[in-house]
Structures are given as C-alpha cells and as structure tokens.
Amino acid sequence: MRLKPGRPDLATFASRHDVPVAGEGRLAVTFLGVSTLLVQDGDSAVMTDGFFSRPGLLQVGLGKVAPHLGRIDAALDRALGDAGLDGLDAVMPVHSHYDHALDAAVVAERTGALLIGGESTANVGVGGGLAPDRIRVVASGDTVECGAFSLTFVASSHCPPDRYPGTIDAPVTPPAKVGAYRCGEAWSILLTHRSGRTALLQGSAGYVPGSLAGRDAEVAYLGVGQLGVQPLEYLEAYWEHTVRAVGARRVVLIHWDDFFRPLDRPLHALPYAGDDLDITMSVLGRLADEDGVALHLPRLWQREDPWAGLYA
C-alpha cells in the first residue's frame, strides 16, 4: 500500500478529453468505463469486456461478486440505444480478471453476441450459462470476422503486479470470490473495419516485447491501470512496444477510472494507493509530444471518432 493519500484530480486533464465527436452514421468508439469500449458503425458492433456491475470495494475485498443485472441492462440500453443498435456481434474480454470478464457471459446472452477469448474466458462463459456455440476460443494470431470488423488476437501480458495470475481451468459460476477470476490469456486486439480504419485495443498496461512488430494501427486505445506506479523504464518500454510498434497517430487512454464506483456517478481516477495518473499523463504526454502523436482521455458515454482529423 502506498502512503500518498487521495487521488488525481481529473479536472487537471480536462483539455485531454477532446477526442472528436462522431458524426451521424460514422464509425464510432464509445468509452464505457475501465477497458469497456463499444466500436460500431450503426450496423455492426463489437465490445471489449462489457464490465458494468462494478461492485464496491468492500464486496470485492470481503465477499463474492456476481453480475448486477440491473446495472448491465441500464448500461446496455443507454450505450446501444444511443447508437441505434439492437445487439452486438462480439464481446471480447482483454483478459479474465473480474473487472474485465465478470459480466461478459450476461452481456453476450443479452445482446446475441459471440463471446471471444482464450480458454479462461470460455470457462467464465460456461460458468455464466452461455451456450457452447456462443463461445469462440482463440489462440495468438487468430483472426475472427464479426460483421464489418476483423479482429486479430495477439498474446499480451498483464501489467505487474498481477494479483490473480494463472489460468481459469474450470467453469466459474457466480457468485464467486474475485480470486476465481484469474488473468488467463491477455490480449492485444487489432481491429480493422471494412472502411480500412484500424485500431489497437490494449486493455491492460502489459506488453510482450516484439509481439506487435509488423502490425499497423492508426489509433491505439491504451490501458494504463497501474502504469503510474511502474519504473520510468517500464512506461517507456510500454509505449515503445505498443504505440510505436503499430505506428499509431492518436492514443486514447483507458483503464484509469475507479471501477469500485458505479457508472451512474461521476468518474474518478484510481487512488494514489494503487496508481498515479499524474505520472502516467506526464510521461506519456512527453512521449506523445516527441512522436507527434495526439494523446487523449475519452468521455464516458460519448460516441467519438478517433480517426477524425488524421487524414488530409
């Protein structure tokens, strides 16, 4: 436990909440807290994680967690309704910790989506009652076609420390202790839309050196949870093996919000006890300036177009 009290003030970074708003009918990305992103074009739609229950700290620390159906339905109604969507083509947890995969089976069932991930995510799906034909297990390098999207999964790593390492080797049936949701297979997800637009979806601030070499992505959604308490060399290496590796021209930071707070309350940054967004913004801001890369924070619920302005 770090001794520094309090948490970063998000107002300090207000100018970074400036990803261009998506026009009507345009390809858009909506940030829904932690590493949950809805990517859609008004017809096809895919979602990372789908984590909406956001149980409180006391429940996480002392009890068991389970999907909160009311919160899930409210979030899906708002996010999909704003986009004019009836469902999803795919839900893909970036790894299988509870703050990513807890709600995945329910979201897939509610939306008609295919649940995509490694064996650990599959066991979360089975434990959540999802039919086997609604689960797709992938290995590193596999590409899955989902509507207008092509999704390539590349093995990645969790940011240290991984408090629940290892794989999930049997179905997890909620309610369950958070420790049952082991990390499992972590992913860098490369998304290509039929329009040619590309993005790297990097939900956790971990990396595998060289894993993304030769890959291209115009935009990178970069998880930064726990990044601010890493050595400077780690932050620089993370940027090198993600943003620079794919040649991204715009970076949008995710997984910085306090996920013990429900989505109907204003977002707060994670406390200094577990992270330091001030340091993350300072270091990544410097690296972005050096590389001529636009650096942003997303706005909750807002349909944004991270590709806007990247082309003459």
Side-chain angles (χ1 to χ4, degrees):
M1 182 70 71
R2 304 176 73 218
L3 299 179
K4 187 175 179 179
R7 67 180 75 228
D9 182 359
L10 288 177
T12 305
F13 314 117
S15 64
R16 296 287 188 181
H17 291 276
D18 60 347
V19 182
V21 175
E24 190 68 28
R26 298 292 296 273
L27 178 63
V29 182
T30 305
F31 172 62
L32 301 172
V34 198
S35 297
T36 294
L37 299 167
L38 170 65
V39 189
Q40 54 85 23
D41 62 3
D43 182 21
S44 295
V46 296
M47 180 180 287
T48 54
D49 291 358
F51 175 62
F52 303 117
S53 292
R54 298 169 71 104
L57 180 59
L58 187 62
Q59 182 181 357
V60 168
L62 300 179
K64 295 181 178 182
V65 295
H68 188 301
L69 300 184
R71 291 181 178 179
I72 294 170
D73 288 342
L76 289 174
D77 286 347
R78 180 170 181 177
L80 300 186
D82 286 351
L85 297 168
D86 295 325
L88 298 171
D89 293 290
V91 177
M92 40 193 183
V94 297
H95 58 264
S96 298
H97 283 158
Y98 89 95
D99 57 322
H100 300 271
L102 175 66
D103 298 337
V106 174
V107 171
E109 189 276 328
R110 290 285 205 264
T111 63
L114 185 67
L115 178 64
I116 308 175
E119 293 286 355
S120 294
T121 289
N123 275 317
V124 173
V126 172
L130 197 62
D133 63 356
R134 300 279 299 284
I135 301 171
R136 171 74 178 269
V137 176
V138 293
S140 186
D142 285 354
T143 297
V144 181
E145 304 295 332
C146 291
F149 298 96
S150 177
L151 308 167
T152 299
F153 293 78
V154 177
S156 187
S157 180
H158 190 276
C159 181
D162 181 350
R163 292 178 175 83
Y164 303 107
T167 57
I168 301 174
D169 300 320
V172 176
T173 302
K177 292 281 191 179
V178 296
Y181 293 88
R182 297 189 175 276
C183 181
E185 303 79 11
W187 304 107
S188 301
I189 303 173
L190 292 152
L191 175 147
T192 300
H193 184 255
R194 61 185 167 198
S195 64
R197 298 293 185 253
T198 56
L200 167 66
L201 310 180
Q202 185 78 20
S204 177
Y207 65 93
V208 173
S211 66
L212 295 173
R215 307 281 188 174
D216 296 304
E218 300 152 324
V219 171
Y221 276 82
L222 207 62
V224 295
Q226 298 185 147
L227 193 60
V229 296
Q230 304 301 322
L232 173 61
E233 294 79 8
Y234 185 94
L235 277 77
E236 293 175 336
Y238 181 49
W239 184 269
E240 178 70 28
H241 291 289
T242 54
V243 177
R244 287 178 178 160
V246 299
R249 299 170 61 189
R250 171 170 282 142
V251 172
V252 185
L253 303 182
I254 56 176
H255 206 338
W256 43 263
D257 58 302
D258 184 345
F259 47 83
F260 300 116
R261 293 171 58 85
L263 285 177
D264 60 2
R265 300 175 64 187
L267 294 186
H268 285 178
L270 287 165
Y272 289 120
D275 200 0
D276 194 328
L277 187 61
D278 295 335
I279 290 176
T280 295
M281 295 301 294
S282 176
V283 174
L284 297 193
R286 171 179 60 81
L287 294 170
D289 288 345
E290 290 175 1
D291 292 352
V293 170
L295 184 71
H296 308 267
L297 294 171
R299 291 157 291 195
L300 185 67
W301 304 115
Q302 179 66 61
R303 293 176 59 255
E304 297 178 333
D305 181 356
W307 296 275
L310 294 184
Y311 307 93

